[in-house]
Amino acid sequence: AVVSTQSGHYAGNFTAIGGQLWGTPALMGNSVIFKPCDTAMHSAYVLFQLLQEAGLPDGVVNFVPADGPTFGNTVISNRNLAGVSFTGSSPTFRTLWKNVGSNIENYRTYPRLVGETGGKNYHLVHPTADLVSVVNGTILSAFEFSGQKCSACSRMYVPAAVWDKIQDDLIIGTKNLKVGPAEDVKTFTSAVIDANSFNKIKGYIDFAKSDSSCEILAGGSYDDSKGYFVTPTIVLTTDKNCKLLHEEIFGPVLTVYVFDDNNWDETVELVNNTSPYGLTGSIYCRDRSVLEDTHNKLRHTAGNIYFNDKSTGSVVGQQPFGGSRASGTNDKAVSLNLVSKWTSPQAIKETLVPLTKHTYPYMEQ
C-alpha cells in the first residue's frame, strides 16, 4: 500500500494537491491510504466522494482522517508499506524518513518516499528588468492566497537604483489590496487557515516591528476577532542575514533586501546560500547573457525557476512542480517521473528456441 498524507497548514495550498497525492499512486495500481490535513478535511472528503460516485472501487483509496503521530506510527510499522506521498513541513517529512529508515528491515520492499515540503522563494531583480512586471508579479506571488502557497515569493532582492523606481508602486499596490471574506469576488485575499498559522505569522511581524534592521513599509496589522486575518505586509531589512530572509513564514509577508548596484554577483551568491530551501525562484532580467549566467549560479536554488515571471503559477501539463534541498525530493508532481515512481517495473525475457548446449563455440575448437 502507498500512504498519502497532508500535514499542517500546507493543506492551505490547493485541494488539487490532496487529489494528486493519492490519485497518482492509485492510477498506477496501488491501494492507497489517504490521511487529509485536519484543517482541509472537508474539501478532501468532497473530492473523495466525487470519485466514489464516479465509480472508484472500495478499497482502492481509503480516506482515513487521524491524529498525525498515531497515523504515522501505525502505517510506518506495517511491513506492507510500499511508499509515502507527502505534502507538509520539512521537519515532519524528515521524521517520516527517519522512521522509515529505522524500520527498513521489516518491509517487504524498500518504500518509495516522495515529499513536497517547504520553500523560501525569491524574486531577484536585475537593472534591466521590466519594472511594471516586477511590481505586479511580486504582489501576486507574495500576497495571493494570503501567501499560503509553498511557491509564494517571500524574499526579494533589488538593486538600490531599481528600488528607488519601484518602491512606491509596490507599497501603494499592496496597501490597496482588498482583504475580506472569500465569498466576495472582489476580495483579493482572505484569512489564513487557522490559529496556529495566524500566531506564527504574527510572531514574525512582531519581530519585524522590534528589530532595528527592519522597517514595515506596508501592512503589519492582524486581527483574529473573527477569522484569522493578516494584512499583506512588506518588510524592508538592511540585514542580509535577517531571519525573515531565510525562515519560512507561509503567510502574506514579503521581506525586501536592497543591495548596492555594483554588488550583483555577491547578491546572486547571497540568494544561493541564504535559505536551506530550493523550491521556486524568479530572475527578472532582460539581458540574456546575465540571465543565463545567473541561472547557472542559482541552478540548485529552485526546482521551478522563472524568467521574468512570478515564482508562482505553475500550470499542470506545462511546468511539473517540485523542489529539492529542504523543499523535498523534487519528483515533479504531474510528471512521468512521478508516475513511474508508483510502479515497480519488471523486464521479461522469453526464449522460444530451446537451448541445446551449455558450452560456447570457442570451447569446442
Side-chain angles (χ1 to χ4, degrees):
V2 172
V3 173
S4 300
T5 179
Q6 289 176 302
S7 169
H9 55 269
Y10 287 84
N13 274 280
F14 308 103
T15 300
I17 290 180
Q20 184 277 133
L21 279 173
W22 51 261
T24 306
L27 181 68
M28 298 307 294
N30 297 279
S31 176
V32 181
I33 302 171
F34 174 48
K35 178 206 167 297
C37 175
D38 294 345
T39 48
M41 195 178 302
H42 183 255
S43 58
Y45 185 57
V46 169
L47 189 58
F48 174 68
Q49 288 179 308
L50 287 173
L51 287 182
Q52 281 190 313
E53 187 176 324
L56 181 73
D58 291 343
V60 175
V61 176
N62 303 277
F63 187 81
V64 185
D67 170 69
T70 302
F71 179 86
N73 292 336
T74 301
V75 298
I76 286 175
S77 62
N78 192 296
R79 70 186 301 266
N80 293 309
L81 179 70
V84 176
S85 178
F86 175 84
T87 293
S89 71
S90 298
T92 301
F93 188 55
R94 292 191 191 106
T95 298
L96 285 171
W97 197 297
K98 289 177 183 177
N99 291 342
V100 168
S102 66
N103 283 279
I104 201 69
E105 295 179 355
N106 300 325
Y107 300 124
R108 298 182 67 186
T109 187
Y110 294 115
R112 315 283 179 90
L113 300 178
V114 171
E116 199 265 280
T117 56
K120 189 66 181 177
N121 314 295
Y122 60 85
H123 280 188
L124 173 60
V125 183
H126 188 262
T128 63
D130 183 293
L131 302 188
V132 174
S133 291
V134 169
V135 170
N136 291 322
T138 302
I139 290 174
L140 282 167
S141 181
F143 304 125
E144 201 169 32
F145 220 67
S146 291
Q148 297 173 113
K149 298 180 182 180
C150 50
S151 56
C153 174
S154 58
R155 54 183 176 131
M156 184 183 191
Y157 297 83
V158 189
V162 173
W163 179 244
D164 289 341
K165 298 175 182 177
I166 69 169
Q167 61 172 319
D168 288 345
D169 289 341
L170 184 65
I171 293 168
I172 293 170
T174 300
K175 288 182 176 180
N176 287 338
L177 296 176
K178 181 177 180 179
V179 181
E183 297 87 349
D184 184 350
V185 295
K186 294 182 179 180
T187 294
F188 181 85
T189 191
S190 190
V192 298
I193 194 167
D194 61 11
N196 289 336
S197 181
F198 175 86
N199 289 328
K200 178 182 179 182
I201 299 165
K202 173 179 175 292
Y204 281 104
I205 293 175
D206 289 344
F207 167 82
K209 291 177 178 179
S210 63
D211 188 84
S212 60
S213 74
C214 295
E215 178 187 359
I216 294 180
L217 303 180
S221 62
Y222 40 76
D223 182 6
D224 63 348
S225 59
K226 185 178 181 180
Y228 303 104
F229 287 90
V230 180
T231 57
T233 299
I234 300 175
V235 179
L236 179 67
T237 183
T238 56
D239 179 7
K240 64 182 181 181
N241 297 312
C242 178
K243 74 175 187 177
L244 298 180
L245 290 170
H246 64 83
E247 294 183 11
E248 186 182 37
I249 301 174
F250 212 77
V253 179
L254 170 69
T255 303
V256 179
Y257 178 74
V258 178
F259 60 91
D260 187 277
D261 296 326
N262 298 317
N263 288 351
W264 176 259
D265 290 338
E266 293 85 347
T267 303
V268 171
E269 196 60 31
L270 184 65
V271 172
N272 185 37
N273 294 322
T274 294
S275 168
Y277 297 100
L279 192 54
T280 73
S282 175
I283 306 168
Y284 281 92
C285 174
R286 290 186 291 184
D287 184 320
R288 203 69 197 181
S289 63
V290 174
L291 180 61
E292 291 179 1
D293 178 66
T294 302
H295 175 221
N296 289 334
K297 292 176 179 176
L298 297 179
R299 169 65 180 83
H300 298 290
T301 62
N304 284 61
I305 198 160
Y306 299 81
F307 299 160
N308 299 304
D309 196 0
K310 57 187 174 65
S311 65
T312 55
S314 63
V315 178
V316 174
Q318 294 182 23
Q319 297 100 21
F321 188 81
S324 58
R325 292 184 174 175
S327 291
T329 55
N330 203 15
D331 285 287
K332 288 290 185 281
V334 200
S335 72
L336 289 176
N337 182 67
L338 182 62
V339 169
S340 64
K341 194 90 172 185
W342 303 122
T343 188
S344 183
Q346 182 182 63
I348 300 173
K349 176 186 177 182
E350 180 181 3
T351 298
L352 300 177
V353 178
L355 189 64
T356 59
K357 292 183 179 181
H358 64 271
T359 57
Y360 295 97
Y362 70 85
M363 294 178 177
E364 300 173 359
Q365 295 178 359

